[in-house]
Amino acid sequence: MARGGGAPKPAQNNDHRSSREPGERGPPQSTLAAQIVSNLSTTNGETRPDDRGNFEQLLSEILGAGSGSPNDDGAVETDLDVNCKLVSVVTRAGLEVLLREDPFSMAESLLPQAVNSISVIQLTIKRMPQVLFTVPNDSPRTAEKPGAPLYIWLLPKLQQLLGYTTAEGIQESLLELLSTVLHPKKESPGLHHRRALPAFLRADMDQDHLAQNRRVALNFLRELAEKNELGFQETCVLAWAQVARVCSDNELNIVLLRLVEYLGHPNAMVHGVAFLELSNLSKVLNTSPRCLLTPFWRNIAVTVVRDLQTRPQTTQLLCDLLLMSVPDFLVLTQTHTLPYLVMCKKQDVMSKIVQARGGTTTVGSICFETVNLASILALLLLQGWSDTEKAVMELLRHASADFGTVNLPDLVRIEPILIAFELLKAAGDENDGKKAQVYEAIHVLATLATPKAGQLKASSRKSALIGPFFEAHVLGIMAQFSDVVNDIRVQQPYLEKKRCLRGVEEMIKLGKGHTSNALPQICACLQSALAIDTLRVQAFSTWSTMMTSLDGDDIEGMIEGTFAIVVEYWELLPSATHQQASGMIGHLVKKHMGLIKANINCMPSLSSIPLLSKLDTEIRKHKAQLDTRHRYLSFSSRCQHENVTVVKRALVELVHYLRQNQSFLHVSVVSEQPDPVVSELVRSILDACIKFTGGQPDIARLCAECIGLIGCLDPNRVEAVRENRDIVVVSNFEQADETIDWVMFFMQEVIVRAFMSATNTKAQGFLAFAMQELLKFCGFDASVTFRTRDMHTNATYRRWIALPEAVRNTLTPFLTSKYVVAVIVTKPEWPIFNSKLGHGAWLRTLVFDLLQKGTGENPTMLFPVCSRVIRGQDISISNFLLPFVALNVIIGGTEAQVMEKENLKLCSESVFQVLDYLSRWILEEKKEMSTSRSAARQGARSHAEDTKPQESAKIRRVELVLGMIPAEVISRRAVDCRSFARALFHWEQYIRQNRGSLEAPTAQPEMEPLYERLQDIYTQIDEPDGIEGISAHLHVLHIDQQILEHRKAGRWAAARSWYELQLAEQPENVDLQVSLLTCLRESGQHDVLLNQVDGMPQTPATVSKVLPFAVEASWVTGQWTKLEKYLGDGQATESADFNVTIGRALLSLRREDTAEFTRTVHTLQADIAKILSRSSTSSLQACHHDLLKFHVLAEMELLSGEGQESSQVKISSIMDTLDQRLEVLGAFLSDKQYLLGVRRAVMQVSKLPFGSEHVASLWLTSARLARKGNLTQQSFNAVLHASKLGAESATIEHSRLLWKEGQHRKAIRSLEGAIAVNAFRSYNYAARDDAATSLAGEQNEQQNLLTARAHLLLAKWLDSAGQTQSQGIIHRYQVAARAHLRWEKGHYYLGRHYNKLFESEKARPHNKQAQPFITGETAKLVIQSYLRSLTFGAKYIFQTLPRMLTLWLDLGFEVHSPVDSKYGTGKGFQDALFDARRAQLDQVHVSLKKYMEVLPAYMFYTALAQIVARICHPNKEVLGILQDIIVKVVSTHPQQALWTLLAVVKSSAKDRAARGAACLSRIKGDTRRTKASAAGLELKTMVMQGQKLSAQLLDVCDGEIQGKPSSVSLSRDLGFSHKTAPCPLVVPLEATLTASLPTIPDTIKSHKSFAGDAVTILSFLDDVLVLNSLQRPRKISVRGSDGKVYGLLCKPKDDLRKDQRLMEFNAMINRSLKRDAESSKRRLYIKTYAVTPLNEECGLIEWVDNLKTLRDILLKLYKAKGVYPNYPEIRNLLDEADSHASKTPIFTKRILPCFPPVFHEWFVEMFPEPGAWFTARLKYTRSCAVMSMVGMVLGLGDRHGENILFEEGNGGTFHVDFNCLFDKGLTFEKPEMVPFRLTHNMVDAFGVYGYEGPFRKSCELTLQILRQNEDTLMTILETFVYDPTTDFIGKKKRTTANVPDTPQEVLDSVRGKVRGLLKGESVPLSVEGHVHELIQQAVSPRYLAAMYIGWCAFF
């Protein structure tokens, strides 16, 4: 019978899921089930009341049919899909209706219907159990999730009804239905549960539902098991086993306990199934049964052992499962079982454990074991007895009589740490409601463990005891937790680790601030846990508790790390933990905002986390106040953090910030004075990379990415040398104070850093022990943390307080800690070194062994402690200790031990470190002995005499060891280790030894092989000058040496020709092939290179070496087919070469496989970062090649367009960035060419819209660089490539090449043709059809600039060629200037040409001078052009501003003065000329006033000395403008400029002083506040303070000093008032007084020429050092606002204005040296310093520390050799030698042999480390060469040994006393004939090659640059010699011939020297010829013998 519309069609069953057999007849169309599904499925169970009767009737009919024959086809539905739908619909219609909260639902009437619905569902499942696993057709399906079976849907529905109020009447029926679902009758129970329960409890569902499902399942199984029906027990076992596969940790404890209980079931089948399931479970979970059960022993073991007597079967089966015996099991679990057994008085079981232990063990003895006792007491304390002590002791005494004589407090004090450890874990296990009992137990423990607490008192305040208890024991407790979390002793289950982390959390909650002593250990433990997936959530919870529970003082240092951790792990944390993190950050922001503000610079950004956006916005408000510079400073600070997560987050943010703001760094790098922030940032990133490379590859790669974005900075402009602090223990640990100093240095620099950066708590534990013991050795205890009355006299306290605060905070907990470690003694076999042993293992083994051989009282106490921090620790500890322990063993060891050290020569850098330390120790020991001898002469003779033999013996012993290793052995080994400076150091010593032992006639042939070896070493160093210097000492250069010189000098064509000839004879020689390819690559002939590779024989040996060349040439030239061919080879796939990998990355990009491209680039970054080492990153120079690779990879990512939308990328912006990045490479032309090649390759395959015009522009850049590097062929090749790409402007570059080759007419014609066709389109901007107006404007501006450049170039060429009339050339220059009005260079060259005309007219006779010159028009044109030039840039400011001022001031003077009669005597003519000059001057003044408003003040500041010098100008109008300029400069930069103006006010010339005072009065009247001062002082206040200070300093200079004291008091003896400080003026130093200039024209107005945090005067120290010279200059010390102390020399009775102007001249030369590529590469410079005149007779000179005069150095060295000058005898010999040329040999044969060259020894002593020695010697050689050339040009004389000094820190040359200028030395009684000082000692210190090589080359470069900048230098010099306030020439008339006597003669003399004119010669010499002649004069014995004796030509 059909109801409700008839029978439905049967569902389509494509899967044939039915109970029918194949071929069986299908069901009828109208079963009852089908009818109910059809009627109700569309209503989703929403039956109306009138339908309810039909539904109930239908249910009854189904149940009635079900009671009949099961084979009744009319009643039984056999289709799975229909039955599935039936269960679903009946559940909705009959059961879920009870869940609706409808007051009108009449739930009571629905209950019978619900019972019938349950019966229908049960009936359906019993007849067809498969229905439960059928996926309903309406179940949501996806490709990933095919849909859930029916039972997954059904069980939660039934679960909801359980306990529901409206379903109370059907609970029994529901439980029965649940049983049916979980155990259908027609399927094996085990099979069903194996399929159902895991899915029901699967972990991928919602957590709330999952937890609910698990509770239902466990409760149901527990109820099922309690029925105790045998039929159910097997099912229960199988069900429990299935639950175990998917349940969480907490449920697993219950499940395993149930399964273990089933092992004791009396039925063999049941306990057999349980045994089998436990075994299978361990296999499924991929673990052993023991590991599976270990985390739960505390419950399982107790259950098993409890019934040991009654149910031994459980124990036995479990032991069988664990594969161990019962006694072993009892011993294994005793710690877990004994507490229960004691509490339950199970004496019999305890006896079993005693039997298992064997021997004389008793119950008492095992209970007294610390671990067992702690577990027992912890459990007993948890019971909460009213009288705890009594109850506990009763149980213990019942367990064993051994407890009869002790009380509970004594027992607790045996091991309170372990008891607390157990209780804290127990607290973590309990929920919040049950924690109170555990807390009470901890309070009881604290009470009992505190000796003063006495008996247990209920009234004791918990906080008063718990806090101090944790404070006393937190380190020990934390050590226990860390041992478990980090698997220190054994591998611990992660569940136990989570318990420990919860325990740490509970400890922090209870102890709060009292746990702060262990914060480093807590943080290290939590950080290691955060890195583990299974522990992360709990570790973060504990961290959150720590941050919200502790006070601000405790967490101040952790806020930054907390922010970093949140960001770092956010994506890995669940949503619940996200809320916890949000709450924690919110708490910190609310409660500790002050701390966050204080460290705002270091706070990681939270912007990547939307949930924290509000908090991040609040924090960013405070960050926004930082400018770009300070942002970079903050990043630098963050990268130096000890916390690895902080560093990582800093680097992640820095990468993003650099992408947006890298131009700030690039602009700074190419500026005149790079900002120190650049070097600080790079240094911190490199150090972070080295520090974290080993364990944190992500950090290393991020460092590489940051360095790449910053760029490969020119190390000649920016240097980031690592500051190395070291210490020498001269006494070899014999003196207590020195040993303590060493220990403190060791802790501060090594141990504390290692401790703070450790994440391994085992390693941290040993470091903690070391700190504890070392603190004891130093005498530190808890008392040093308290301030006492005698703290200033207490040496121990002073030592402690001298440590940095951060170090003290770390060390403080270990003042009272009680760490103990076991003694380990091992003795390795010697020799330790072998090729299979890694460097770290070898070094640790060696140091560990040497530490055991220490001798002396202090070493025997210290070395065992140090030995505990060798193994398993950072290698830096072993590196630090090695030199000290080696020296100790050498000096104090037995002879046998000393001989063992011969094995040191088998080792590499670590041994060299030992040798360096030994050399330093000898130096310091000799100094100490020298000091002792001086003390002996003053009265302590007896002590000195006693110690002298002992100290000498020590030195001899060390020297013996050093002498055991021959120099040639060290040199050879150093070359193997690529320590080339060391190889040079020792090989040169070897050469000197051999040279001294050979006779002169035979010396040269014997020495040549040694020089050749030295040349081989130089080939490995980037020092071509040295090779040339050695070649000069070889009589004949064989062909290999010639080729070597060609290669080093960049003469690749010559080298290539030779290799081609050689290859014709030896075509199979791979080395020759590689050499030829190198020549082709370096000369830019990549096409030829590829042809050469194709023609080579392809052998495996050839391919591996040639492949990098071929790959690079392929992508440089864009030959992608060839690149694919080369990289398709098998060897190419395996090659790790950088170029080969770049090729692979480019091919990936070409295939548009961006993922592979990115992966390759990142892998390369990580691989390169991995090989960086501490030594290779000691400076930017050392790691230059690696930095270049990072630079290349960063640009590849930039140009690839990866991660960028091409539509949003401005190609113009990218091109601008690339231009800036290219400039930071400086003078490294080959690197620039390589980078340009990479750029071109990437542009061709990039997805960004780069066109051929962009690639062409790069080719033109390559052409320009090659041309400037004199690589003409390479330049022509690049121009050809650009032309192929359609670059019409390549014609301009081609014209430049023609001009360079001397084809001037052709070049001019070519350029004119290019201009005619407008062949200079802009290639820096992409052409777009829809270009905006702004973009069009940019292109037009660029077009104009290129036009202007072309016209200017043509004008310069026409001017130089002399082929055009003057007016035509002027027109050309004017066209260039007008073509781009905002271009500085165009206006500068126009003005320069006008100035050339001016000088030309000036040199003509008066009657032939042109009218524009006479009237001042020409001068006006120069001034106006230079003013316009200054408006648009500062590049030429030192050429334009001084000259402009001179012309203007001279013109003003001419207007003020009567017309010179030489121009004419007629009144009308003179009046007209005067009026014409006045008109020109008026026009100049109009221009000056106009531009004075526009030009920033810092421009005029650069010429302030010149401006102030002319303040007495007679022309009132000129004076007015001069005063306006001075007021503007001083008002804008008062802190710096006031120093200059105050000197004018104090002038002895009344007119000057009055005019200076007038300027000050105007400045005082300015009411503005200066921003330079932090206090925002008014200008008036600043001026008044400056005047007071200036007056005081003048008194200090003039103050008379009675007697000859070496020091006086500033206030008492010199009358200085300390109230004048602090003063807002800057400390007068070169760094503070020098204005920085902008490098980008657009930033002229916004540029800040001085740092905002300038160093001002804070105070003056009272001690004054008085120098022992005629005028008694005195050194004062100033403390700056930065806290540093600076020295100033107050010099009386000396006009320092000459020195000041000469420093300006030298600074100008330094700028020229920096701009030149070759000189910049060699770091040529003149040492300059600040000179600040206070008036005409006194002034301040910046004190340069660590200087030594040449005379002092040589006298000391000669004294050590017993050589003492006999000056009277020498004077007589010199007079005789100078009497006639034939007498000159007296000087060379009688005087010089008495004084052998020794100066080189000073460098060996001062710089014992070879790298420092080589650097210092080069610096000395080059700085000496520069000053020799500059001194020669200026005619600087009187260069005796007191006026030449050397910097002890770097070896640089330093000249003082510049009074003897402009050949004044020729006027002496004994004229100085030598052009500069170059005595035999100075030559000897250059090295074995003498003045050849670096010295000669540096001289040539300097002279060449002086010639190139002749006009600029003469302009500067002209302002000096014509300065009316300074007398550079002298008032006394000179009568000596060829000595300049007037300013013009001075200028002519200097100009002649610059041009190469010798005295009396009219033909100038070339640079090389001039230098050669000067050197010959300087070393001429004839000239040297003629010098006066005080000059000491024999030194």
Side-chain angles (χ1 to χ4, degrees), residues 366-391:
I366 62 173
C367 288
F368 265 108
E369 291 177 0
T370 54
V371 178
N372 293 339
L373 180 62
S375 299
I376 293 169
L377 292 177
L379 180 64
L380 298 182
L381 290 176
L382 283 170
Q383 302 312 307
W385 288 298
S386 57
D387 189 344
T388 301
E389 185 170 357
K390 178 180 178 182

Coordinates of all heavy atoms in Angstrom, one line a residue, residues 366-391:
I366 N 66.4 2.1 50.1 CA 65.9 2.6 48.8 C 65.0 3.8 49.0 O 64.9 4.6 48.1 CB 65.2 1.4 48.1 CG1 64.0 0.9 48.9 CG2 66.1 0.3 47.7 CD1 63.1 -0.1 48.1
C367 N 64.4 3.9 50.1 CA 63.5 5.1 50.3 C 64.4 6.3 50.6 O 63.9 7.4 50.3 CB 62.6 4.8 51.5 SG 61.3 3.6 51.2
F368 N 65.6 6.1 51.1 CA 66.4 7.3 51.4 C 67.1 7.7 50.1 O 67.8 8.8 50.1 CB 67.5 6.9 52.4 CG 67.0 7.3 53.8 CD1 66.6 6.4 54.7 CD2 67.0 8.7 54.2 CE1 66.2 6.8 56.0 CE2 66.6 9.1 55.4 CZ 66.2 8.1 56.4
E369 N 67.1 7.0 49.0 CA 67.7 7.5 47.8 C 67.0 8.7 47.3 O 65.8 8.8 47.4 CB 67.6 6.4 46.7 CG 68.5 5.2 47.0 CD 68.4 4.1 45.9 OE1 67.6 4.3 45.0 OE2 69.1 3.1 46.1
T370 N 67.8 9.7 46.9 CA 67.2 11.1 46.7 C 66.0 11.1 45.8 O 65.0 11.8 46.1 CB 68.3 12.0 46.1 OG1 68.9 11.4 45.0 CG2 69.4 12.2 47.1
V371 N 66.1 10.4 44.6 CA 65.0 10.5 43.7 C 63.8 9.9 44.3 O 62.6 10.4 44.2 CB 65.4 9.8 42.4 CG1 64.2 9.8 41.4 CG2 66.5 10.5 41.7
N372 N 63.9 8.7 45.0 CA 62.8 8.0 45.6 C 62.3 8.8 46.7 O 61.0 8.9 46.9 CB 63.2 6.6 46.0 CG 63.6 5.7 44.9 OD1 63.1 5.9 43.7 ND2 64.4 4.6 45.1
L373 N 63.1 9.3 47.6 CA 62.7 10.1 48.7 C 61.9 11.3 48.3 O 60.8 11.6 48.9 CB 63.9 10.5 49.6 CG 63.6 11.3 50.8 CD1 62.7 10.5 51.8 CD2 64.8 11.8 51.5
A374 N 62.3 12.0 47.2 CA 61.6 13.2 46.7 C 60.2 12.8 46.2 O 59.3 13.5 46.5 CB 62.4 13.8 45.6
S375 N 60.1 11.7 45.5 CA 58.8 11.2 45.0 C 57.9 10.8 46.2 O 56.7 11.1 46.1 CB 59.0 10.0 44.1 OG 59.8 10.4 43.0
I376 N 58.4 10.1 47.2 CA 57.6 9.7 48.3 C 57.1 10.9 49.1 O 55.9 11.0 49.3 CB 58.5 8.8 49.2 CG1 58.8 7.5 48.5 CG2 57.7 8.5 50.5 CD1 59.8 6.6 49.3
L377 N 58.0 11.8 49.4 CA 57.6 13.0 50.2 C 56.6 13.9 49.4 O 55.7 14.4 49.9 CB 58.8 13.8 50.6 CG 59.8 13.1 51.6 CD1 61.0 14.0 51.9 CD2 59.0 12.9 52.9
A378 N 56.8 14.0 48.1 CA 55.9 14.8 47.3 C 54.5 14.2 47.3 O 53.5 15.0 47.5 CB 56.4 14.8 45.8
L379 N 54.4 12.9 47.2 CA 53.0 12.3 47.2 C 52.4 12.5 48.6 O 51.2 12.8 48.7 CB 53.1 10.8 46.8 CG 51.8 10.1 46.9 CD1 50.8 10.7 45.8 CD2 51.9 8.6 46.6
L380 N 53.2 12.3 49.6 CA 52.7 12.3 51.0 C 52.3 13.8 51.3 O 51.3 14.0 52.0 CB 53.7 11.8 52.0 CG 54.1 10.3 51.8 CD1 55.1 9.9 52.9 CD2 52.8 9.4 51.9
L381 N 53.0 14.7 50.9 CA 52.7 16.1 51.2 C 51.4 16.5 50.5 O 50.7 17.5 50.9 CB 53.8 17.1 50.7 CG 55.1 17.0 51.6 CD1 56.2 17.9 51.0 CD2 54.8 17.4 53.0
L382 N 51.1 15.8 49.4 CA 49.9 16.2 48.6 C 48.6 15.7 49.3 O 47.5 16.1 48.9 CB 49.9 15.6 47.2 CG 50.8 16.3 46.2 CD1 51.0 15.5 45.0 CD2 50.2 17.7 45.9
Q383 N 48.7 14.9 50.4 CA 47.5 14.3 50.9 C 46.7 15.3 51.8 O 45.5 15.0 52.1 CB 47.9 13.1 51.8 CG 48.6 12.0 51.0 CD 47.9 11.7 49.7 OE1 46.7 11.4 49.6 NE2 48.7 11.8 48.6
G384 N 47.3 16.4 52.2 CA 46.5 17.4 52.9 C 46.1 17.1 54.3 O 45.0 17.4 54.7
W385 N 46.9 16.3 55.0 CA 46.6 16.0 56.4 C 46.6 17.3 57.3 O 47.3 18.2 57.0 CB 47.6 15.0 56.9 CG 47.4 13.6 56.3 CD1 46.3 12.8 56.4 CD2 48.4 12.9 55.6 NE1 46.5 11.6 55.8 CE2 47.8 11.6 55.2 CE3 49.7 13.2 55.1 CZ2 48.5 10.7 54.4 CZ3 50.3 12.2 54.4 CH2 49.7 11.0 54.0
S386 N 45.8 17.2 58.3 CA 45.8 18.3 59.2 C 47.1 18.5 60.0 O 47.6 19.6 60.2 CB 44.6 18.2 60.3 OG 44.8 16.9 61.0
D387 N 47.7 17.4 60.3 CA 49.1 17.4 60.9 C 50.0 16.7 60.0 O 50.2 15.4 60.1 CB 49.0 16.7 62.3 CG 50.3 16.9 63.1 OD1 51.3 17.3 62.4 OD2 50.4 16.7 64.3
T388 N 50.5 17.4 59.0 CA 51.3 16.8 58.0 C 52.5 16.1 58.5 O 52.8 14.9 58.1 CB 51.7 17.9 57.0 OG1 50.5 18.5 56.4 CG2 52.5 17.3 55.8
E389 N 53.2 16.7 59.4 CA 54.5 16.1 59.8 C 54.3 14.8 60.6 O 55.0 13.8 60.3 CB 55.2 17.1 60.8 CG 56.6 16.6 61.2 CD 57.4 17.7 61.9 OE1 56.9 18.8 62.0 OE2 58.5 17.4 62.3
K390 N 53.3 14.8 61.4 CA 53.0 13.6 62.1 C 52.5 12.4 61.2 O 53.0 11.3 61.3 CB 51.9 13.8 63.2 CG 51.5 12.6 64.0 CD 50.4 13.0 65.0 CE 49.9 11.7 65.7 NZ 48.8 12.1 66.7
A391 N 51.6 12.7 60.3 CA 51.1 11.7 59.4 C 52.2 11.2 58.5 O 52.3 9.9 58.3 CB 49.9 12.3 58.6

